[in-house]
Amino acid sequence: MVEAILIDLFSLPDNLQSNIQGLLYNTLESLEKCSSIPAPFVYVMCCHREGSEQKGEQESFLPALGSFQSLKKRLEVVHALSTAAALYTIKQRLDEKDLSIIKVILSSLRKDIMKVYIDHLFTAVYQFEFEDWQVASDCENPQIADPQSEGQMQDVALIQSEIQLYLESLPSLNGELTILRSSLIPDDIFLHGFTTRTGGISYIPTLSSCNLFSSSKRRDPQVVVKENLRRLARAAGFNPETFHRVKIDHANAVCVMGKTEPDSYDGIVTDQKGVTIAAPGADCIPVLFADPVRKACGAAHSGWKGTLLGVSMATVNAMVSAYGCNLKDILVVLGPSVGPCCYRLPHESAKEFHRIDPTCVRLFDSADPYIDIRRATR
């Protein structure tokens, strides 16, 4: 069942502006007749040219919108300077309401363009269907055009550039970008740090604003993650094009940069200059390794499974075997992660931590003891 309907008015040229009310009225009338209960949310997407009065433009829609009481509270007109800005605003509305099944009503000549925008700004969480609408019959051979591109089809590169410029213009959320650093790692040799939840543009409540991970199961698209990475790279001083992150498997495989890359791995090591390696953390521990003698470094993602499997030890072993590092020269820093106050596991899993060190487990006799994965890693 369609949860939201997006009506695209960007496709209408100036000579059809006088027909917007009629086009909208006919479309909304059809929607109201066919809608299920509850009615879908409706978003009308239209161009707001620089210098125009948005209030005046919106008031021109009121006669068409006022007749549809069942849709009125679920209808919103979104004015924007670009398709990217309008779609991203609507995406925020959809995400606020946890909606994912969307019908797009638009000109057939605009459909290919719209699909490119959607492919970049949305993920596989969303389902889209498209419906063409017919322009007023009294318009002879109307020239439907995108007002941004002056009647010419934008290619993918231009659309990507438009999206990137718009995302770059957005303010940081939840405060400025913060990078935590350790005094243990010499900053004259290694650039290092741990991000926090602030400074990016991701607005999904379950993610930090500086989210650096995108997947088909999440609502945060790759373009947003890329923008977060760009901001981080600018603040920290590294090249985002040479950024390599572990491919999590919650195990103990390690990738040695320059050798065949495993399909998945929770540790990564390198001795190449100008390369940035990274591992994510939240509940799990992001662990950094640095050898100032051999000028080699590593990063590992250590959750409870990886901790038991010895991913940190495997990362150290990889540095020793690949770069000839001495154990006494390798410095290790544990990044922010869940503390012993808040992390519980089933009793059978807790037994494994108890074998490492009894002090790693609190309330051992309970069904779900508290675990200190930081102490276990040490």
Side-chain angles (χ1 to χ4, degrees), residues 165-180:
L165 288 173
Y166 174 70
L167 295 180
E168 287 180 4
S169 73
L170 295 177
S172 298
L173 300 177
N174 303 327
E176 293 304 310
L177 198 148
T178 302
I179 301 172
L180 307 178

Side-chain angles (χ1 to χ4, degrees), residues 30-67:
S30 175
L31 290 177
E32 191 172 51
K33 289 179 180 177
C34 301
S35 290
S36 57
I37 298 175
F41 291 89
V42 178
Y43 300 94
V44 180
M45 187 175 97
C46 55
C47 182
H48 171 57
R49 293 177 176 81
E50 289 187 278
S52 67
E53 290 295 330
Q54 180 170 321
K55 183 178 178 182
E57 288 186 5
Q58 189 157 350
E59 285 177 349
S60 71
F61 291 113
L62 292 181
L65 304 182
S67 304

Side-chain angles (χ1 to χ4, degrees), residues 283 285 302 304 307 338 343 353 371-377:
D283 284 355
I285 314 170
S302 186
W304 73 266
T307 299
V338 69
Y343 198 59
F353 284 89
I371 307 300
D372 188 344
I373 61 171
R374 300 177 66 83
R375 181 183 291 273
T377 298

Side-chain angles (χ1 to χ4, degrees), residues 250-319:
H250 298 281
N252 61 359
V254 178
C255 173
V256 178
M257 291 282 296
K259 294 187 178 181
T260 302
E261 183 183 17
D263 291 335
S264 58
Y265 48 93
D266 288 77
I268 185 170
V269 297
T270 187
D271 64 349
Q272 300 175 28
K273 287 186 176 181
V275 169
T276 302
I277 56 177
D283 284 355
C284 306
I285 314 170
V287 189
L288 300 183
F289 308 79
D291 180 350
V293 177
R294 290 289 183 175
K295 295 183 173 57
C297 58
H301 159 265
S302 186
W304 73 266
K305 291 182 180 179
T307 299
L308 291 178
L309 290 170
V311 65
S312 292
M313 292 177 282
T315 305
V316 167
N317 289 338
M319 294 176 66

Side-chain angles (χ1 to χ4, degrees), residues 68-202:
F68 303 97
Q69 295 303 316
S70 66
L71 295 176
K72 193 171 183 181
K73 292 183 179 180
R74 291 172 166 257
L75 189 149
E76 179 180 351
V77 178
V78 177
H79 295 267
L81 295 173
S82 68
T83 298
L87 273 179
Y88 195 75
T89 300
I90 291 170
K91 181 182 182 299
Q92 288 177 294
R93 304 290 191 272
L94 297 173
D95 293 336
E96 288 168 2
K97 300 175 179 67
D98 198 29
L99 306 177
S100 57
I101 305 175
I102 303 108
K103 176 187 283 187
V104 183
I105 301 175
L106 76 176
S107 160
S108 59
L109 296 181
R110 173 100 162 144
K111 187 181 296 184
D112 289 341
I113 288 177
M114 184 63 72
K115 286 182 177 179
V116 175
Y117 282 103
I118 287 172
D119 286 346
H120 283 77
L121 288 171
F122 294 82
T123 69
V125 168
Y126 308 85
Q127 300 174 42
F128 285 90
E129 59 182 78
F130 296 86
E131 181 178 298
D132 300 341
W133 66 349
Q134 302 297 320
V135 292
S137 58
D138 58 348
C139 293
E140 297 182 2
N141 300 319
Q143 297 297 311
I144 307 298
D146 180 357
Q148 311 176 86
S149 59
E150 300 179 349
Q152 296 184 3
M153 177 78 73
Q154 293 174 303
D155 62 25
V156 174
L158 288 175
I159 292 174
Q160 290 173 330
S161 177
E162 179 196 319
I163 291 172
Q164 179 180 339
L165 288 173
Y166 174 70
L167 295 180
E168 287 180 4
S169 73
L170 295 177
S172 298
L173 300 177
N174 303 327
E176 293 304 310
L177 198 148
T178 302
I179 301 172
L180 307 178
R181 295 183 173 87
S182 169
S183 59
L184 187 65
I185 297 179
D187 55 14
D188 59 332
I189 301 176
F190 300 101
L191 184 70
H192 84 282
F194 302 94
T195 60
T196 65
R197 294 182 174 275
T198 65
I201 61 170
S202 298

